[in-house]
């Protein structure tokens, strides 16, 4: 065996040396992992503070939820996303993420709208 095949055998499957780490991949991962959640929290606070039963903040909230779902799909399908354990994420991981994302998003949305109504 030559030296280059030994090097590739020692390298993990998802190593950056294979070109899987890119700006787009990092941005997409950071959106569904961090920024999307921060923005959802900010929208939840704005929904509590609003005066109307439904407002533009509610629409932005659900658009963010959809963008988070799409970004996780994109991460897995095109950016070779990984799990927290470092293995390659699959569509099963996406379906599980979608389930928990929507359960939490619906629960939080109902909760903050409930607080908004009680506040009046």
């Amino acid at each position: 065996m030559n030296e280059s095949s030994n090097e590739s055998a020692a390298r993990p499957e998802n190593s950056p040396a294979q070109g899987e780490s890119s700006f787009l991949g990092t941005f997409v991962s950071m959106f569904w992992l961090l920024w999307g959640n921060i923005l959802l929290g900010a929208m939840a606070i704005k929904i509590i503070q609003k005066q109307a039963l439904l407002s533009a903040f509610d629409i932005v909230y659900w658009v963010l939820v959809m963008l988070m779902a799409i970004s996780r799909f994109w991460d897995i399908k095109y950016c070779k996303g990984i799990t927290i354990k470092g293995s390659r994420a699959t569509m099963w991981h996406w379906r599980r993420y979608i389930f928990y994302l929507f359960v939490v998003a619906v629960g939080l949305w109902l909760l903050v709208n409930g607080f908004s109504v009680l506040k009046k």
Side-chain angles (χ1 to χ4, degrees), residues 10 41 82:
I82 59 172

Side-chain angles (χ1 to χ4, degrees), residues 18-92:
Q18 291 180 327
E20 296 178 9
S21 178
S22 68
F23 175 75
L24 178 62
T26 302
F27 179 81
V28 169
S29 294
M30 291 301 292
F31 182 76
W32 72 265
L33 278 169
L34 179 66
W35 299 322
N37 291 308
I38 291 170
L39 291 171
L40 275 184
M43 285 302 105
I45 291 168
K46 289 293 190 180
I47 290 170
I48 290 174
Q49 295 171 346
K50 70 182 179 180
Q51 297 299 317
L53 183 58
L54 294 175
S55 69
F57 296 121
D58 294 286
I59 295 168
V60 172
Y61 180 90
W62 287 109
V63 167
L64 281 169
V65 171
M66 298 309 274
L67 288 174
M68 289 172 65
I70 291 167
S71 67
R72 181 58 172 148
F73 175 82
W74 190 273
D75 184 36
I76 292 170
K77 191 77 171 170
Y78 302 106
C79 299
K80 300 181 181 174
I82 59 172
T83 65
I84 197 153
K85 294 180 181 179
S87 61
R88 181 93 154 86
T90 64
M91 293 312 288
W92 178 84

Side-chain angles (χ1 to χ4, degrees), residues 8-22:
S8 65
R11 196 179 312 137
E13 183 179 323
N14 290 324
S15 71
Q18 291 180 327
E20 296 178 9
S21 178
S22 68

Side-chain angles (χ1 to χ4, degrees), residues 69-117:
I70 291 167
S71 67
R72 181 58 172 148
F73 175 82
W74 190 273
D75 184 36
I76 292 170
K77 191 77 171 170
Y78 302 106
C79 299
K80 300 181 181 174
I82 59 172
T83 65
I84 197 153
K85 294 180 181 179
S87 61
R88 181 93 154 86
T90 64
M91 293 312 288
W92 178 84
H93 293 101
W94 181 72
R95 286 188 296 272
R96 185 176 65 175
Y97 173 74
I98 293 302
F99 174 77
Y100 287 117
L101 174 65
F102 282 107
V103 166
V104 170
V106 167
L108 178 62
W109 185 76
L110 290 172
L111 184 68
V112 297
N113 273 291
F115 279 134
S116 177
V117 169

